[in-house]
Amino acid sequence: MQYRSLVIDKRIAQLSDCVRLRKEYFGGIVFNADTGDILEVDHEAFNLLERFRAAETVDINSLLKQEGLRSIITTLIDMNIIVLLPEKAPGISLYPFPINAIDISQNLDIKDSQILSAPETVHLAVTYRCDESCPDCYSREFSSITSPEIDTLKMYEVIDKIADGDVFQLAIGGGEPFMRSDLSDIAARAARKGLVTHITTGQYTLKPQWDDVLKYIKSLHVGIRTEDLLNNAEERSTKLKKLVELVTQANVSIGANLIITRFMIRYIDKLVELLLKCGFKRLIFLRYKPIANRDRWSGENPSGMELKDFGNFLTYSKSCYPGIMIRVDCAAAFLMRNLDPPTAKYAGIGGCSAGNRIVSVAPDGSLFPCSQLVGREYYAGNLLSDSFKNIWYGSEVLDKYRFFRQSALFSGSVCGGCVFGAFCGGCRVYASDKTGIEPFCPM
């Protein structure tokens, strides 16, 4: 959500059309469908937003006079959650607003009361097939773990259950999702069901028949093969520039995904300059997860000192590259430890999100805590044979990852005693028994 200067010179306001609200045990979640941004608010702010939604237009001046509400309202206006309107008709007065009125659902048991009612995002691998041979691909080995991918109609069923589970976003990936000839149909189904949809691809060239896909998605993320890009800079850059132009002309945002390897860290400045020239304004850095070729992974997985160096790059990049947005995945939350907690929370940085803010669905409909935790021991259920809500609330596997900070293995470890424990906690892919200490943390 973009901040702007706030001048309250109008007295009518309403909830932004792009905002979705979802009640939670701590208050609620505000989702901006235009930007994909998510904001957690307390009961007071959530109740206020629900009143705005019910009233349609609100006389805001009376609320601004009420002690305790002005700071909340001005913040929500500044974040485009509440929008000011030209004064054409009187809005409904909510004054006096019952600040202490808290409506908490009583339909959840003690365990469920500390669980989000649904994840914010579902990662859907529509296929594990790919005709590329990227050396750092992790999904290639998953194809032997899960059943064959399901057809279009069954994929619709999976998408419908995800949407009916009150999920906000669907992140479609693979393998290479464009290997499926029905990808535009899958994306269209998700859009019709109200899911804000994103696609991750390794393709640098979109074929004409794939243009339809762009009609139904908010963003396209491109997996950058860093060594290949640097070694073939002119040819690859030409393709990437055309791709960026095509996607932006379709009014779809585009970002570059980069895996944090030793090679990438070594040439990070050159890589960023190349991507900026190609037109990328959004860079997402991903931890280097274990791959089938463990010798390569061991050789390219950054040391703690190298990760610290990369963390320093993230700090100075704000001033060196003011025109781009830089994010890290949840596995690299410790790299943003210089942020204050509210800023980190707003940026979506809260450590491992497996089984909590995110879940992953494989090409056969199987549900797992994370796209990196795929296998028999991580299996939570299958959406073709069960409802999303039943799996969400009933899976012991999901609970294991949601509440890993409460396990004795974690709480008694260095991670459990770290001042960044709640902010980070490390990545479960690397952790001992998937719940304990994260051995590669640079701290």
Side-chain angles (χ1 to χ4, degrees), residues 22 30 45 48 52 59 62 64 74 119 133 144 151 158 169 172 178 191 253 255 260 262 307 345 367 421 423 437:
R22 196 177 78 193
V30 185
L48 178 63
F52 264 82
D59 179 350
S62 60
L64 290 171
T74 53
S133 56
S144 62
D151 61 22
V158 166
Q169 303 184 97
I172 295 176
F178 283 100
S253 66
I260 307 171
R262 285 179 168 169
L307 286 173
K345 190 174 184 180
L367 194 146
F423 173 87
I437 188 173

Side-chain angles (χ1 to χ4, degrees), residues 311-433:
N312 293 333
F313 160 79
L314 293 177
T315 300
Y316 77 71
S317 65
K318 297 174 187 177
S319 57
C320 293
Y321 309 108
I324 62 174
M325 176 184 291
I326 291 179
R327 292 279 180 96
V328 298
D329 69 351
C330 59
F334 51 75
L335 294 175
M336 309 300 283
R337 60 190 180 276
N338 59 313
L339 296 178
D340 61 276
T343 302
K345 190 174 184 180
Y346 172 70
I349 301 167
C352 179
S353 301
N356 186 27
R357 291 168 56 188
I358 62 167
V359 293
S360 174
V361 177
D364 64 351
S366 297
L367 194 146
F368 301 96
C370 165
S371 57
Q372 303 287 335
L373 298 172
V374 176
R376 183 174 299 175
E377 63 181 301
Y378 311 117
Y379 176 81
N382 191 292
L383 291 175
L384 294 178
S385 56
D386 206 347
S387 73
F388 191 92
K389 288 295 186 182
N390 283 346
I391 299 173
W392 179 251
Y393 284 113
S395 169
E396 292 182 2
V397 169
L398 295 183
D399 277 349
K400 177 179 180 179
Y401 295 98
R402 290 173 181 140
F403 303 118
F404 74 87
R405 288 182 176 85
Q406 299 174 17
S407 71
L409 192 60
F410 180 85
S411 60
S413 71
V414 174
C415 282
C418 178
V419 294
F420 303 112
F423 173 87
C424 171
C427 177
R428 301 302 91 203
V429 174
Y430 301 94
S432 53
D433 189 36

Side-chain angles (χ1 to χ4, degrees), residues 204 224 229 236-244 278 280:
Y204 286 7
I224 302 297
L229 175 59
R236 300 298 187 262
S237 294
T238 300
K239 289 184 177 181
L240 287 172
K241 284 179 184 177
K242 291 181 179 178
L243 177 61
V244 171
C278 291
F280 286 98

